[in-house]
Amino acid sequence: MARVVGSRLARPDGPGKVAGTTRYVADLHFAGEWVGGTVRANVARGLLEAIERDAAFDFTRVVVVGPQDVPGANVIEMLTLDQPALASREIEHFGEPLLLVAAPDEATLQAALAALRPRITPLEPVFDPRASTKVFKEIRIEKGDVESALAGATRTFEGEYESASQEQLYIEPQGVIALPPDENGVVTVHGSLQCPYYVQKTLVRALGLPAEKVRVVQEATGGGFGGKEDYPSILATHAALLARKAGRPVRMIYDRHEDLAFTPKRHPSRVRIRSGVDGEGRLLALDIDVLFDGGAYTTLSPVVLSRGCIHAAGPYRCEHVRIHGRAVATNHVPYGAFRGFGAPQTCFAIERHMDHIAAELGLHPFELRRRNALRLGDRTATGQLLKESVGAQAVLERIAQRTHIDTHPWRAPKTTRKRRGLGMSFFFHGAGFTGAGETMLHARIALELDAEGRALVRSASTEFGQGTETLFKAIAAEALGCEPDDVLVAQPDTHAVPNSGPTVASRTCMIVGGVLARAGRELAARIGGNGPFRERARAFVRSGGDSRVEATYQTPAGLEWDDKAYRGDAYPAYGWAADVAEVEVDLDTFDVRVVRFWSAVDCGTAIQPQLVVGQFEGGSLQAVGFAQLEVVTTRDGRFQQDRMATCIIPTALDAPDFTTDLVEVPFSGGPFGAKGVGEMPMDGGAPAVLAAIEDALGLHVTRIPATPEHLLELWLAAHPEERL
Amino acid sequence: MTPEVTVARSLDEALAALARDGAAAHVLAGGTDLMVELRTGRTRPERVVDVWKVGELRGVREENEGLRLGALSTCAELLRDSRVASHAPLLVAACREVGAEQIQARATLGGNLGTASPAADLNPALVALGARVRLRSRRGAREVAVDEFLCGYRKTLRERDELIESVLVPTRPAHERQLWRKVGTRRAQSISKLTVAVALAFEGACVSAVRAAAGSVGPRTLRLATLERELVGRPLSPALCRSAAAACARADITPIDDVRSTALYRRHAFARVLATLLAEPDGVPACPPS
Amino acid sequence: MKLQFTLNGERLELDVEPLRRLLDVVRDDLALTGTKEGCGEGECGACSVLVDGVVVNSCLVPASQVDGCEVVTIEGAGFERVRQCFLEQGAAQCGICTPGMIVMTRAWAERCRREGREPGLDDARTALAGNLCRCTGYGAILRAALDAAKERP
């Protein structure tokens, strides 16, 4: 009988956050610290000829770092090595870093930056991904015989779907403070980040140091959403280069403008779908083409594309599937990780396509989804056999009970000026790294007892709002049989915690939490006995027992993945969910107000239901914004929304009332039956909102964000008599 | 680099500082615009006169000709003042949609006028109300219609030594309806894509006088002459509301594409919003007849 | 200029540039880092503080304008109940918007009480619309705000 799983623990990070005493990186100061800044390219593509120095500025007051000052390799190591830490000749995107400057104060820094003027010969940039000739990654998934199935289908359909970029807009901008080498030659970076070991890997390469000489410490982090998965590696490298040369701590805390203008956002996408169905609306074939704009460098595009492609066929059974995906280079600022990681784009496409099929067949969208939903024993697009924990039908039933979406007269004609509409989406999301990722990563954690008999969890999994610390306290306490207050969670610090992997990919609960649960059970067995945990643990420590357990991820038996053919078990388990959105569209302004939003969610056992709901509501609001409110556009390779005044996200008045129902279908491979939930809400919001807009207006919209401007244009095309 | 700052404690101190020779001074009121401009370096004034503590610029007074509003009246003060509520509900409605609470606490009437942004939400309301701005300098005082005062993109008739002292909202006619609508990028804390403000006086069923203005659909706050002409002397039939709004959207505004919206959207949404506003004033966030 | 003001109940006198942002005075000069900078242009509300009982974005307020004023930051007294409501509802996730949210919630709750108004959800949404949160979807924050406004002192 679970004692802690399913309970509602107080967040250990809560009291400091509500009191304002929690220290974020901008709140920290180190003796003798200077501030760092970046000289950037002012064109999207070109050749750097020189950087002229204004003779009026006294450069002895500052420290300048150029490519020649990089002691290791001048690269940012992520998936590949194509991105320089500082560009020396070829400029591939607007704002590309060229030089770094450290100065004693902000005014001197700004004066120095203004006195360094890059001279660049512009070259013709490529902004249209369809015109790109450079492919970062190509993926082909093949199942069955798509062409024959299409030829034999009762009806076939085609659609093209586009999504624009999206800004993570964590409220705390990117920031790090780098310290120069200490007496042992160890370089330390404190930062707002999701993945301490990613940052360490990049620093090792650029600084030419062994891993033990590079220490990365995660400070309290004010939101990430993927935006602090990759970019902190760049910022940390810059700050560390400056600290090394200046011989003093250097802080680089971006202001909002620099953060918005130059850090990665969601990949813009174009997805084409051809489908064939039988007389009952059952999917016979899906032919899907996915194109992502990767921006100027590889960064994480190959794995974003991978997740996007694997989810592209949606949570639907279909015997004949072909998915062809490409992530290509352009001269945009590199795109990167954002919650959902490629899946929101493809999920949007397939869900809109399902609504299209439903409308064409005269079949209710709910019924179409119910008929085609994956079931236990089915195989996914990659051929993965679904052996357990498939909540597909359960979430559909629950959302229908809650909202009666199944009987809602979708697209019924309406006459009022403010039009209400309801729409749904149905989606799944794989938890953990794709394919063999977890096996290769080999996540490690440590669990140890202190002299007081308290258990300390050591992992690199970071807290940035999701509730990682609370979750780990709950899992450890349940596994150890102790009180949650007997568990402490160590600050992620590469010198103090083993590498449990990055905090991404909906993997913290299911993967790292699973390792932790195993470690907890092992430690509990070692301690043994009965009675209060603390007493037993103290006695065990005093008796000299081995009070530290290290545990590593073990691939569940039977999981197989062929990375060449893109076939097999793409993820250990999937979360399943259905959303319904209710909108009100004002026919004068085409403003879309999302009034209410319901979700039915299977993420396995909810270790901490309050955290799950927090993740789902927060993620859903980001998805609601992605659908219709949040606009990111570029001009000559520059993001046009480079201030918070123009980069719009929902306020409390723009947010709907949320209702989130948990439908728990446990997974035997997860801790106490848990799966993952972090990214999933990002997948379903946009198609649900667009379906609701379609219900309200009768317009089949295939592009997001569906701004009032876009809706008006579509409306006028459908009602030319209303054109002025 | 750092501007020279005069923190004025009285109207005399402020006017003396403005009258000094040398570079023209920037006036600082609630700071919602200038503090951002200074931070980003878009504005680099040599001198700043901070008038926030000048008591003579505060307060609301009833006068024979109408309601006099101090230039430092904040949105928050205006929307809680019962005299403003009964006299100029249009202005209250506009104040309510400026930013959110923190901005409403700091954004001032004088700041809106002085900055003269085409997106400043209070200015169309003031133009529709036929308000007059009082400018004071050591040379004396003068009054200018707000409509004329806002003479171009971020341009006003204020001379460099003058301070916006107050605004007079004239006494209202017996039978009047005041209408307001803002369309922003979101439901709060947003810069407008378009605003429209209309004051309609009636004699019997017929419109006897109209003043109307719009924001964010041209380089400055625009007076809607076509609309005014179309409506005067006629009863507000649904057909007239539609045709006058469409004629106005064609003739009176010059919207552009920018980071917030498009010209096409602004023109069409403007016509649609205006038609609805005229025809069903209760169905939109308009103001009840006073 | 010589600046005299009361901060969290303590009278202070500082020598500052008149246009220095109140945010920098509080965070850098006085090392009270509970007030956060999210945007530096009055859009996000993370830097909300009370000046003479009114919530303002401290990134937009020049030091000269708080001369003689009473400034209260999240470190000040009187936030206990609102904090407790935020904890109970799980309204703090990443926590960076939380101090500003709590400052605004307190001001709103006190206003509801003062004006004898029944606190409502739409009213809470309007009051908190100048404080952006990217984690929660606002649900938990609004529930916490309603709790705070309903509880009696």
Side-chain angles (χ1 to χ4, degrees), chain B residues 29 50 53 101-102 106, chain C residues 43 48 64-65 67 111 131:
Chain B
D50 178 359
K53 302 272 184 188
E101 266 202 46
Q102 291 94 328
R106 302 282 305 175
Chain C
E43 290 288 333
S48 296
S64 58
Q65 298 187 356
D67 197 25
R111 195 164 67 230
N131 294 75

Side-chain angles (χ1 to χ4, degrees), chain A residues 369-384:
Chain A
R369 287 173 169 91
R370 197 192 58 76
R371 279 184 203 177
N372 284 288
L374 282 165
R375 291 161 171 76
L376 209 61
D378 284 347
R379 287 186 184 273
T380 67
T382 63
Q384 176 170 5

Side-chain angles (χ1 to χ4, degrees), chain A residues 8 11 14 17-20 22-24 26-27 167-169 171 222-223 225 256 464-465 610 614 617-618 621-622 630 643-645 649-652 655-658, chain C residues 27 33-34 36-39 41 43-44 46 74-75 83 86-90 92-96 98-99 102 121 125-126 128-129 132 134-139 143:
Chain A
R8 184 169 172 161
R11 289 181 71 121
K17 286 173 174 176
V18 300
T22 299
R23 300 284 169 161
Y24 298 79
D27 304 334
E167 161 62 33
Q168 294 90 354
L169 224 127
I171 305 296
F225 318 114
R256 183 58 64 180
F464 44 96
Q610 189 181 39
E617 294 186 353
L621 186 59
Q622 291 177 349
E630 299 180 27
R643 298 171 51 194
M644 211 121 155
I649 61 166
T651 69
D657 290 331
F658 289 102
Chain C
R27 280 183 58 85
T33 55
K36 305 300 179 188
E37 175 163 7
C39 69
E41 56 175 2
E43 290 288 333
C44 75
I74 186 69
E75 288 89 353
R83 283 188 189 129
F86 269 62
L87 285 176
E88 280 162 13
Q89 291 292 350
Q93 288 195 12
C94 87
I96 199 82
T98 307
I102 287 178
L121 182 61
R125 287 186 188 280
T126 303
L128 293 173
L132 298 180
R134 192 58 155 167
C135 290
T136 61
Y138 299 105
R143 288 190 287 275

Side-chain angles (χ1 to χ4, degrees), chain A residues 493-636:
Chain A
D493 171 345
T494 56
H495 269 40
V497 301
N499 187 1
S500 59
T503 305
V504 302
S506 309
R507 64 183 292 280
T508 300
C509 179
M510 187 179 82
I511 302 290
V512 186
V515 180
L516 175 59
R518 205 148 40 71
R521 283 191 287 262
E522 188 183 327
L523 188 56
R526 279 190 205 170
I527 298 168
N530 288 309
F533 176 84
R534 285 282 283 275
E535 286 172 25
R536 287 185 287 128
R538 263 200 306 269
F540 179 73
V541 173
R542 270 200 304 272
S543 72
D546 181 1
S547 60
R548 178 181 166 99
V549 174
E550 282 210 27
T552 56
Y553 177 72
Q554 291 173 351
T555 309
L559 273 191
E560 281 174 25
W561 175 252
D562 177 346
D563 203 54
K564 285 208 178 63
Y566 251 70
R567 290 196 61 75
D569 299 313
Y571 301 98
Y574 296 84
W576 306 83
D579 288 343
V580 168
E582 179 179 10
V583 301
E584 183 181 81
V585 188
D586 181 331
L587 266 197
D588 288 342
T589 62
F590 293 89
D591 277 334
V592 176
R593 187 156 82 86
V594 183
V595 185
R596 283 187 289 178
F597 195 96
W598 298 265
S599 302
V601 185
D602 161 31
C603 60
T605 304
I607 305 272
Q608 289 286 286
Q610 189 181 39
L611 297 182
V612 172
V613 171
Q615 284 289 83
F616 226 86
E617 294 186 353
S620 293
L621 186 59
Q622 291 177 349
V624 163
F626 184 43
Q628 43 89 35
L629 189 82
E630 299 180 27
V631 178
V632 173
T633 52
T634 58
R635 185 185 223 163
D636 300 328

Side-chain angles (χ1 to χ4, degrees), chain C:
Chain C
M1 65 178 284
K2 279 264 181 298
L3 176 68
Q4 291 189 337
F5 69 114
T6 307
L7 180 66
N8 300 333
E10 190 187 343
R11 282 186 62 84
L12 295 176
E13 190 171 318
L14 298 175
D15 198 17
V16 295
E17 289 284 338
L19 296 187
R20 189 165 174 73
R21 305 182 304 172
L22 176 57
L23 174 64
D24 299 329
V25 173
V26 168
R27 280 183 58 85
D28 296 344
D29 303 347
L30 301 169
L32 293 179
T33 55
T35 305
K36 305 300 179 188
E37 175 163 7
C39 69
E41 56 175 2
E43 290 288 333
C44 75
C47 68
S48 296
V49 301
L50 291 158
V51 176
D52 290 343
V54 174
V55 184
V56 300
N57 292 314
S58 61
C59 72
L60 294 182
V61 176
S64 58
Q65 298 187 356
V66 297
D67 197 25
C69 295
E70 223 171 281
V71 178
V72 177
T73 67
I74 186 69
E75 288 89 353
F79 292 105
E80 294 73 13
R81 208 172 62 256
V82 182
R83 283 188 189 129
Q84 194 54 38
C85 295
F86 269 62
L87 285 176
E88 280 162 13
Q89 291 292 350
Q93 288 195 12
C94 87
I96 199 82
C97 75
T98 307
M101 277 297 175
I102 287 178
V103 167
M104 181 49 98
T105 299
R106 172 187 168 177
W108 175 70
E110 286 176 356
R111 195 164 67 230
C112 287
R113 231 169 270 138
R114 200 168 52 237
E115 297 174 1
R117 242 173 341 136
E118 185 61 30
L121 182 61
D122 287 345
D123 197 17
R125 287 186 188 280
T126 303
L128 293 173
N131 294 75
L132 298 180
C133 167
R134 192 58 155 167
C135 290
T136 61
Y138 299 105
I141 291 172
L142 293 165
R143 288 190 287 275
L146 288 172
D147 289 350
K150 278 172 185 161
E151 277 178 42
R152 294 294 140 198

Side-chain angles (χ1 to χ4, degrees), chain A residues 44 93-94 127 261 331-333 634-639:
Chain A
H93 67 86
F94 184 86
F127 294 133
N331 295 105
H332 285 131
V333 175
T634 58
R635 185 185 223 163
D636 300 328
R638 301 175 67 153
F639 291 120

